[in-house]
Amino acid sequence: MTGYLLSKLGFDLKNQADNHDPGNNDDRPPPLPQLHISTEDHFPPSTQGTYPRLCQLSDGSLLKSYTTFGPDGERVLVVSRSVDQARSFEVVGEITRSHGDCDNCFLAELEPGVVLAAFRNHDLSGEDGNKLTWFRITVCRSRDGGRIWEYLSQAVEKGGSDGVWEPFVRIPVGRREEVQLYYSAEAEQGQRQDTMVVVSGDGGETWSEPRRITGEEGLRDGMVGIAGMKDAVSGKEALVMVLETTRCGPGRFSIEAVVSYDEGLSWASRQEVYKPSGEGKNAGAPQIGTLAGREGVAVVFMTDEDGNEGIWPSGAKIKTVLGVGLGNGVINWSREADTVFEEGSSWPGILGVGHGEALVVCETRSRIGGRLLSLDL
């Protein structure tokens, strides 16, 4: 199957460069065909909430986590379930609720019916109740497919002024009970932010010391997402991590990627995925999903490149780019981004749901929306 999509698109990777400059796109091939983006909502955008994420269970059903807000400001992390390929969802569980800074939930199935949820869970105090005083990435567990939840562990917790954010959980292939939890960690009073990982060998009950994955002096890396991809040159299985970063300047975000060939033990080949057009514009909060049997990936993200000057991230659209032809660490990324959701949308998630399809979810005008991306294979 490897190479089918590439041959359909007319790619020849024999001369794929071994070395790649992450800031230079001049060696890219001609623009790739556009992804087909559904103009219809895949499910009714009736649920109020933010920061949706999807998880497919071994029984074929889908779980969706998101954050809702109570009348007194309480934050609630909710889980809903779909058994009709995400055409409809029914609320089945509640992970936790808090008057603190509780958000950024991410789900992963550890084994059939056993699901982990990782989320930021920070303390607030001060005169106005909005000062962050203690930072945590908390992990909870469900043993019944997302209905009933129990506290499991604190993967990371710390005081000080530098916070931890945006967990991403993955279960490595062939490593029983191992869990990798990636997150963003501020440093130098927020002037820098690094991508970190902690690893559990007992299903999330205990965790290793943090290890830095990405981070450069003066850059704020964050909002990581990871998907599998097959190297079209070597045939090796690989992981692609996308992240937002401030290489364009302080407070200005673009999207880059790194690649791993050893199930996340090491990462290299940092490269540009998308740089927004226009002075002072942003592209951030990326997530990535596998397409076409791991021959391709779609990256979804927020961008204000089409709007008037404002305060990022308000007024953003959700856009997507396609990546194909991974070879020796380098991916061919489409030059133009296509719009998935219009202005007023934020915090996208994505999940491959078929051979050539992926479902994108996001907050759109305070409600959770979903649309399909597909490739004409």
Side-chain angles (χ1 to χ4, degrees):
M1 186 63 201
T2 303
Y4 174 74
L5 172 61
L6 301 181
S7 64
K8 291 276 286 185
L9 300 180
F11 272 88
D12 179 2
L13 295 179
K14 291 182 179 179
N15 296 316
Q16 179 82 50
D18 291 332
N19 299 309
H20 184 69
D21 179 355
N24 180 14
N25 296 325
D26 293 338
D27 58 348
R28 291 180 178 178
L32 306 182
Q34 291 184 350
L35 285 164
H36 174 71
I37 301 169
S38 174
T39 58
E40 298 180 354
D41 293 316
H42 192 66
F43 54 83
S46 57
T47 302
Q48 290 189 322
T50 190
Y51 206 86
R53 292 294 183 266
L54 297 170
C55 172
Q56 187 159 32
L57 302 187
S58 54
D59 64 4
S61 64
L62 291 175
L63 296 184
K64 178 178 64 177
S65 62
Y66 53 96
T67 305
T68 62
F69 302 89
D72 59 351
E74 188 177 42
R75 300 186 181 206
V76 185
L77 301 185
V78 178
V79 176
S80 59
R81 180 171 180 256
S82 174
V83 294
D84 58 3
Q85 298 180 322
R87 287 295 183 181
S88 64
F89 285 87
E90 177 186 3
V91 174
V92 295
E94 179 182 300
I95 300 168
T96 192
R97 54 178 60 216
S98 172
H99 283 96
D101 183 24
C102 185
D103 204 346
N104 296 157
C105 184
F106 195 92
L107 303 177
E109 187 180 42
L110 180 63
E111 58 185 73
V114 179
V115 184
L116 301 182
F119 51 93
R120 82 175 194 234
N121 184 22
H122 305 339
D123 288 347
L124 295 171
S125 62
E127 293 183 2
D128 60 358
N130 290 320
K131 181 180 179 181
L132 292 164
T133 56
W134 193 257
F135 301 92
R136 304 180 190 86
I137 302 294
T138 299
V139 180
C140 291
R141 177 175 58 195
S142 171
R143 299 179 184 270
D144 60 1
R147 293 173 175 81
I148 299 173
W149 293 86
E150 61 184 355
Y151 168 80
L152 186 60
S153 61
Q154 303 291 3
V156 182
E157 58 179 327
K158 64 183 292 294
S161 60
D162 290 325
V164 292
W165 315 90
E166 307 141 7
F168 184 100
V169 181
R170 70 174 300 269
I171 313 300
V173 176
R175 297 183 192 168
R176 182 175 174 82
E177 292 291 297
E178 182 173 324
V179 184
Q180 297 174 353
L181 190 154
Y182 298 82
Y183 65 96
S184 305
E186 291 177 317
E188 301 172 4
Q189 288 72 53
Q191 296 302 305
R192 193 183 86 234
Q193 187 167 269
D194 300 333
T195 302
M196 310 293 288
V197 65
V198 290
V199 178
S200 174
D202 54 15
E205 295 187 13
T206 62
W207 298 89
S208 68
E209 289 297 311
R211 177 170 62 92
R212 191 170 77 166
I213 300 298
T214 75
E216 298 181 21
E217 189 67 30
L219 296 185
R220 281 186 62 91
D221 291 351
M223 296 293 299
V224 302
I226 300 171
M229 197 172 186
K230 185 179 287 290
D231 190 299
V233 174
S234 66
K236 294 180 180 178
E237 296 291 342
L239 298 173
V240 182
M241 175 192 290
V242 292
L243 52 98
E244 65 178 21
T245 190
T246 52
R247 196 176 298 278
C248 294
R252 299 301 182 188
F253 289 95
S254 60
I255 300 169
E256 296 184 357
V258 290
V259 178
S260 173
Y261 286 95
D262 53 15
E263 278 292 313
L265 296 177
S266 61
W267 298 84
S269 303
R270 186 151 174 166
Q271 58 200 273
E272 182 180 291
V273 176
Y274 191 77
K275 181 179 178 180
S277 60
E279 187 69 25
K281 300 298 185 178
N282 296 273
Q287 289 293 289
I288 184 171
T290 298
L291 290 169
R294 301 187 310 284
E295 288 187 52
V297 289
V299 178
V300 292
F301 53 92
M302 300 168 56
T303 179
D304 60 0
E305 65 181 356
D306 296 336
N308 297 324
E309 287 296 329
I311 300 176
W312 169 258
S314 62
K317 295 180 178 180
I318 305 302
K319 291 190 176 185
T320 184
V321 293
L322 172 66
V324 300
L326 170 64
N328 301 320
V330 181
I331 300 168
N332 299 298
W333 300 102
S334 52
R335 294 175 178 174
E336 303 295 330
D338 298 313
T339 299
V340 185
F341 283 90
E342 294 294 337
E343 187 174 319
S345 303
S346 56
W347 315 125
I350 185 172
L351 179 70
V353 293
H355 179 64
E357 292 183 327
L359 179 61
V360 179
V361 291
C362 70
E363 175 191 350
T364 177
R365 304 190 185 281
S366 301
R367 299 182 183 274
I368 306 300
R371 289 183 181 170
L372 275 180
L373 306 180
S374 60
L375 285 171
D376 185 16
L377 298 179

